[in-house]
Each structure stands twice: as structure tokens, then as C-alpha cells.
Amino acid sequence: MALTLKAMEYFTTALRHGNIARAAAELNIAASAVSNAIDQVEAEFDLTLITRQPARGIQATSSGREVARKCERLLEEYRSMLSEGSELRHALSGKLQIGYYAPIAPAFLPQIFDTFLPADNSLALELTECDNDQAQEGLLNGMFDVILFVAEGVRPTVEYDPLITAPPYCLLPTAHPLTRHASVSMAQIAGEPLVVLNRPVAASYYEGLFQPGGRRAPVVAYANSTEMIRSLVASGRGCAILNMRPLTSESYMGAKVAARPISDVLPPLTLAIGYDKSRPRRSVQDFVKACRAHFAKAHQAQCIVKS
């Protein structure tokens, strides 16, 4: 039978008091439980560790004193581990590992971090850009503490909160004739060369917005980066359909783009935050609260294009 922490605690408490009854009173258990624990420890080591003297209580043998010292060290390590674990759960320190499939995350994450990160930099951030499947896999296997991802492709075992529902919009070069309209239709977009965000969930979603056989112009480019999409559109290669937008209309190449809402009724995409809801650390709880607060305010309108 394996030696338990409880048996070690009862054994060392009995030796500290030199009396089984007093040890039982401190532990608030029956004296027989203390006596059984002593028997268990002696049986595990196959040694006589105490001598019982009816008038004088119990006394450790030399072997008993050595075993008691080792048990005390193990119990102290165990108590220390529990204490540090509790501190880790409640402290705003250590490392927060975030996986994100949110093409414009750089536009809002720094603002969110400013609302809850401690000034002493005791909480380090580890940010990993990934696709929707990688983000969810990373959360489930413990690589990430929290993820930002598209909920339309959610796995059944991933717990999450929706943050923002983003309808699709059309991205155009600023000189394009369609920018003169307050909104554009899918029929109008179907006649334009298209630049497609080629990421899991995204590509099939954008292709599915068109009626079968409705697109009259070709896809001129696929790119897996939102900034590359924006630069290609800004240079006049074509137009694009996206869901969330940065806070600037300027692309990396310096030319600007224009966003216009789409007049058709189309399915949106939902940006969500995934995390273990059963036992979240304080840093995860604070990050989740900060994300909710950010998108619950006027910031939401900055990230989406509504008709």
C-alpha cells in the first residue's frame, strides 16, 4: 500500500505530541485513525518506528525520528506547492499565452492590454498568430491560456464568449467608382476582380457569399495576410470582402483603401474569446473582462462597417 500524505501528517503529528490522543484532538479525528496511520507507516518501511508506553504515550525510535524528518520535508514541500499554486491562480503575474486568429488583432489588443496589465510588467505576454484550427487546438492542449478566434468554426469542446458580430464589407481602392456609393451590392462586387483572404474558415466563407455562378470576374489573388489583402486592394489589383477593419485606412504601401457596407443581407462572422471557464487564472479572467468591456463600448463600431 502506497504511503499517503494523510498518513504522514498523522504520524508526524503524533510524534510531535508524543501522544496519540492529543494528536487526534489537534487533527479532529478519532484516535484509532492516528494509530492506524502509524501502523501504515511502519508497515511501509517494515521498521519499528515508535515505542508505545501506556503511561508515557509514544516515543520515536532512531529510525522513527529519521522517517519523521523526511515526512516533514515532504509535507512542507506539498504545502508550499499548494500555496504557490493558489498564488499563481490569483496573482496577476507570470506569463499569459494568447493565441489569436483575428486578422486585425493588432488594432485592438494593445488598447485592451492597457486596461488591466500591471505597471510593473510582472505579467509577460506571449502572443501567437495562428489559424482558427490551430488556435482551438492550442487551447485544448494547453499551449494557450486564452484564444481569439472565429466562433463559426468552433469545436464542441471549446468554451467561449462571443465578443463582436462582424458583417462582411467591401474593401476598395479610394479611386474606385464604387466608393461614390454609400453601400455596394454583391452583384456589383461580382463584376470586380477579387482579392481573397486565404485562411481557414475565411476563404470558404467569402466564396459562399456569392450566388452560384453569380461571380463574373476572376479571383486575381489569394493572400493569407489581411495587410497583404489591403495593400493589393490599395494598389488597384481588385476589391476584397472582409469583416473587421483596422483603425486606419492606410495600407503598408502607403496608399489608402475605402470600406463600404454591403447592402445584401449576408451571414456575419463572430469574433469570440475561448478559455477554460471552470478554473481560469486571474490573468485570464482579467483579460476576458477587458475584451468584453472593449467591445461592449463604442470601440465596437470602429472595428466593423455597418450599412
Side-chain angles (χ1 to χ4, degrees):
M1 180 184 295
L3 189 60
T4 65
L5 289 168
K6 182 181 292 185
M8 286 191 282
E9 182 182 11
Y10 292 1
F11 173 73
T12 55
T13 303
L15 289 188
R16 176 160 45 82
H17 282 286
N19 184 282
I20 290 176
R22 286 199 292 269
E26 178 185 321
L27 295 165
N28 196 28
I29 59 174
S32 59
V34 178
S35 183
N36 290 338
I38 293 171
D39 292 341
Q40 181 186 342
V41 177
E42 288 187 315
E44 185 67 28
F45 289 98
D46 195 22
L47 290 170
T48 298
L49 301 177
I50 69 165
T51 57
R52 288 176 169 87
Q53 301 172 336
R56 299 171 57 188
I58 61 172
Q59 187 173 355
T61 64
S62 59
S63 295
R65 288 192 294 272
E66 182 63 25
V67 169
R69 282 194 293 270
K70 293 181 183 297
C71 287
E72 288 285 10
R73 284 199 293 269
L74 286 172
L75 289 168
E76 182 59 34
E77 286 291 327
Y78 175 68
R79 295 183 191 110
S80 177
M81 180 187 68
L82 292 181
S83 176
E84 290 172 5
S86 177
E87 289 173 4
L88 177 63
R89 187 180 189 282
H90 295 98
L92 196 58
S93 60
K95 182 189 293 184
L96 180 61
Q97 300 177 105
I98 302 170
Y100 63 93
Y101 173 58
I104 67 155
F108 59 80
L109 277 181
Q111 299 176 55
I112 291 173
F113 294 143
D114 285 345
T115 65
F116 81 96
L117 284 178
D120 61 1
N121 296 317
S122 56
L123 179 62
L125 301 172
E126 186 172 299
L127 306 171
T128 304
E129 184 175 2
C130 46
D131 66 37
N132 219 46
D133 288 335
Q134 291 170 338
Q136 295 177 76
E137 181 64 30
L139 179 67
L140 294 174
N141 66 24
M143 178 180 177
F144 302 132
D145 299 309
V146 61
I147 60 171
L148 294 165
F149 72 109
V150 174
E152 280 67 22
V154 66
R155 299 186 185 185
T157 52
V158 172
E159 298 178 300
Y160 70 95
D161 296 329
L163 293 176
I164 183 173
T165 299
Y169 69 89
C170 182
L171 192 71
L172 299 158
T174 53
H176 197 285
L178 288 178
T179 60
R180 302 192 197 105
H181 302 275
S183 63
V184 298
S185 67
M186 289 300 294
Q188 290 172 309
I189 298 171
E192 300 293 329
L194 199 64
V195 180
V196 176
L197 181 61
N198 192 22
R199 302 289 294 271
V201 178
S204 59
Y205 165 77
Y206 295 128
E207 294 278 357
L209 296 178
F210 293 93
Q211 294 292 332
R215 197 171 65 219
R216 303 185 299 279
V219 173
V220 294
Y222 290 95
N224 65 3
S225 157
T226 299
E227 280 306 326
M228 180 57 74
I229 295 288
R230 286 165 56 82
S231 290
L232 289 170
V233 170
S235 69
R237 298 301 302 169
C239 67
I241 301 175
L242 296 173
N243 289 76
M244 295 184 70
R245 64 174 177 179
L247 303 184
T248 177
S249 61
E250 192 167 286
S251 65
Y252 273 5
M253 61 176 290
K256 292 188 175 182
V257 290
R260 292 293 181 270
I262 299 173
S263 56
D264 304 67
V265 177
L266 300 170
L269 288 180
T270 303
L271 177 66
I273 186 163
Y275 61 104
D276 178 4
K277 293 188 176 185
S278 61
R279 290 184 289 276
R281 289 163 42 204
R282 180 188 167 189
S283 57
V284 173
Q285 294 180 57
D286 285 3
F287 177 61
V288 171
K289 289 177 185 176
C291 286
R292 287 182 189 148
H294 180 86
F295 287 108
K297 296 179 182 178
H299 301 95
Q300 183 172 145
Q302 298 174 350
C303 293
I304 62 175
V305 179
K306 284 188 173 181
S307 54

